[in-house]
């Protein structure tokens, strides 16, 4: 039997929705719609958009490859100091992204702790490259993936894994065939969050990878610089980024996410 | 609710009318100033408060274009000091300022290299070398526009690795040694300390940046706004600015 929705929940919920959507509506209302098509198909916007999509996707792959095992370690192992480790993983979430970018420079920059050896031994220099953009985005976005996968793992019933083990499955086989499928919704939710965060990344990217068209200028960087001289163009660029990300997320939802809705 | 408002109004009224100082100005004066003026204007503000007891200078330092937009959206500023005439024009166009702005300082570009000059930079021509790491300001911000002018005048095609969003971001890259050379303002090199060395170059005279200042028409504290403006333009103000590396107009 359904009872009436409690007002104490509904009112703040509506206020919350308005709080999130009204600024978005403001962007749409103030948009110079006449110039939208020409902006959308201009070479610079196409270049920045393509770079954004490629880098965010590569960063998400990096996060998946490193983040899922990390989440598993945090949820399933009996490592000492796991609580501290879990708190440390969330550091990039609270760190201002610009500081994250400076930290990356101090470690991976040309004179960085690790970066100077990369430069001397292999001739690899990461700042000001597309690889640098991917790294900066992955650094900022990975906690989103780790936290959602770890949450899903902790909520999952470990007895299935134990049953698999009693049937003779190795831990790696159990992970692949039992654990991973059971936490798939959490992995997908984490992946989507991670990708979205990477797509909007600004501070760490511009600090670590700099800004050069075609190489490191992603959409958020293009928006920021457009704001300096032409606020209308910045609004248009923001809407382009919004439309594309909403389209991708909605498309993914239909194709991959068949959770209860 | 009404009572709360009444009390708030009383408090506000109380704040607005402390005992008048000798100069006749008092109260809060809000100054919107370009980020490159941070160090020098803080000092000027302190001196102004000492010279005019009862006044309090509040600063909002940011990029000139962001400040111009805030003013045009109705931010309650008394004085606007811009790093470029173009941004001052944004506020005179909307009639937020109808008085003629006064140029109070000039800034020129300087080559900035990390301590010890690892890239062995000798002049502007080195900026065309592809194997060196070079940082410039993006064309959209004043220092980038000035850099572009300088390279055009010198007929040099620069090969930058990054076009940064503001002059301080460029300076960070230099002080961390991530780039071999950059073009920034002379005042920024001075403010950066030992980690950055500055090198003058002759072509810099092609892009001298004027800093205009003006009081806003809707200044909440017009008397103090004028007093602060006069102070910036006075000999004392000029001295502080020249110590920071600015040239006199």
């Amino acid at each position: 039997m359904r009872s009436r929705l409690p007002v104490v929940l509904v009112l703040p919920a509506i206020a919350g929705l308005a709080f999130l959507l009204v600024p978005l509506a403001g962007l749409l209302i103030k948009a110079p719609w006449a110039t939208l098509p020409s902006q959308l198909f201009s070479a610079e916007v196409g270049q920045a958009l393509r770079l954004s999509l490629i880098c965010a996707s590569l960063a998400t792959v990096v996060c998946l490859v490193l983040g899922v095992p990390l989440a598993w370690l945090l949820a399933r192992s009996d490592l000492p100091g796991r609580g501290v480790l879990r708190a440390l993983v969330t550091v990039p979430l609270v760190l201002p992204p610009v500081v994250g970018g400076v930290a990356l420079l101090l470690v991976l920059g040309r004179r960085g702790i690790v970066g100077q050896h990369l430069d001397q031994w292999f001739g690899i220099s990461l700042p000001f490259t597309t690889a640098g953009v991917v790294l900066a985005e992955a650094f900022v976005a990975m906690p989103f993936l780790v936290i959602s996968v770890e949450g899903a793992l902790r909520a999952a019933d470990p007895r299935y894994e134990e049953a698999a083990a009693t049937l003779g499955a190795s831990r790696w086989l159990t992970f692949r065939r039992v654990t991973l499928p059971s936490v798939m919704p959490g992995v997908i939710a984490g992946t989507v969050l991670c990708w979205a965060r990477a797509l909007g990344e600004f501070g760490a990217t511009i600090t670590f990878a700099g800004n050069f068209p075609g190489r490191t200028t992603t959409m958020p960087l293009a928006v920021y610089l457009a704001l300096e001289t032409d606020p209308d163009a910045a609004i248009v660029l923001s809407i382009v980024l919004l439309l594309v990300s909403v389209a991708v997320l909605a498309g993914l939802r239909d194709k991959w996410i068949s959770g209860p809705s | 609710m009404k009572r709360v408002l009444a009390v708030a109004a009383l408090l506000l009224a109380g704040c607005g009318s402390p005992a008048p100082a000798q100069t006749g100005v008092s109260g809060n004066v809000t100054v919107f100033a370009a980020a490159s003026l941070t160090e020098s204007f803080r000092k000027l503000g302190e001196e102004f408060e000492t010279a005019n007891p009862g006044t309090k200078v509040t600063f909002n330092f940011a990029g000139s274009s962001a400040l111009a937009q805030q003013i045009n959206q109705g931010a309650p500023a008394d004085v606007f000091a811009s790093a470029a005439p173009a941004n001052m024009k944004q506020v005179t166009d909307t009639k937020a300022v109808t008085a003629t702005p006064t140029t109070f300082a000039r800034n020129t570009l300087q080559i900035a290299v990390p301590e010890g000059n690892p890239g062995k930079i000798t002049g502007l021509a080195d900026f065309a070398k592809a194997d060196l790491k070079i940082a410039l300001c993006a064309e959209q911000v004043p220092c980038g526009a000035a850099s572009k002018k300088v390279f055009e005048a010198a007929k040099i095609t620069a090969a930058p690795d990054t076009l940064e969003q503001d002059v301080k971001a460029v300076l960070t890259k230099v002080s961390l040694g991530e780039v071999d050379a950059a073009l920034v303002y002379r005042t920024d090199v001075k403010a950066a300390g030992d980690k950055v060395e500055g090198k003058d170059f002759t072509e810099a005279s092609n892009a001298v940046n004027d800093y205009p200042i003006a009081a806003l028409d809707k200044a909440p504290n017009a008397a103090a706004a004028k007093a602060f403006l006069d102070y910036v333009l006075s000999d004392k103000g000029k001295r502080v600015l020249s110590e920071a590396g600015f040239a006199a107009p």
Side-chain angles (χ1 to χ4, degrees), chain A residues 192-214:
Chain A
V192 168
L193 265 181
C194 178
W195 185 80
R197 180 65 187 88
L199 192 69
E201 218 305 306
F202 171 76
T205 309
I206 199 162
T207 308
F208 181 61
N211 171 55
F212 197 82

Side-chain angles (χ1 to χ4, degrees), chain A residues 25-177:
Chain A
L27 212 55
L28 293 175
I29 292 166
K30 283 278 186 180
W33 289 103
T35 59
L36 188 68
S38 64
Q39 286 273 0
L40 190 52
F41 297 110
S42 82
E44 298 88 39
V45 173
Q47 198 179 43
L49 191 60
R50 194 167 56 243
L51 192 70
S52 275
L53 293 172
I54 291 172
C55 289
S57 304
L58 286 176
T60 307
V61 170
V62 171
C63 290
L64 274 171
V65 169
L66 304 177
V68 173
L70 176 57
W72 178 83
L73 197 76
L74 290 175
R76 284 287 185 271
S77 74
D78 39 17
L79 223 61
R82 213 161 37 136
V84 177
L85 221 55
R86 190 178 292 134
L88 287 178
V89 164
T90 57
V91 163
L93 282 182
V94 290
L95 209 63
V98 177
V99 179
V102 173
L104 284 174
L105 275 180
L106 292 176
V107 174
L108 294 170
R110 199 165 61 154
R111 287 198 193 162
I113 302 161
V114 178
Q116 55 179 328
H117 300 299
L118 285 179
D119 193 28
Q120 283 165 12
W121 297 342
F122 309 106
I124 297 172
S125 177
L126 289 167
F128 317 124
T129 62
T130 307
V133 177
V134 174
L135 270 179
E137 291 183 351
F139 177 77
V140 173
M142 190 139 82
F144 288 88
L145 182 90
V146 174
I147 286 174
S148 34
V149 175
E150 200 220 341
L153 277 170
R154 267 140 65 94
D157 194 338
R159 280 178 301 180
Y160 292 109
E161 293 170 20
E162 285 158 16
T166 60
L167 293 171
S170 68
R171 277 193 108 166
W172 170 231
L173 185 71
T174 311
F175 175 77
R176 271 189 305 139
R177 304 293 290 273

Side-chain angles (χ1 to χ4, degrees), chain A residues 109-110 206-207 210-211 227-228, chain B residues 65 69 162-163 173 177-178 180:
Chain A
R110 199 165 61 154
I206 199 162
T207 308
N211 171 55
L227 207 50
E228 288 288 327
Chain B
S65 56
Q69 281 169 35
T162 178
L163 304 164
K173 258 84 178 186
E178 287 302 329
D180 299 305

Side-chain angles (χ1 to χ4, degrees), chain A residues 202 206 211 217 220-230 234, chain B residues 138-141 163-166:
Chain A
F202 171 76
I206 199 162
N211 171 55
T217 304
L221 273 58
V223 170
Y224 182 90
L225 285 169
L227 207 50
E228 288 288 327
T229 44
D230 188 356
Chain B
E139 261 175 45
Q140 290 91 331
V141 294
L163 304 164
E164 298 285 319
Q165 80 273 31
D166 61 44

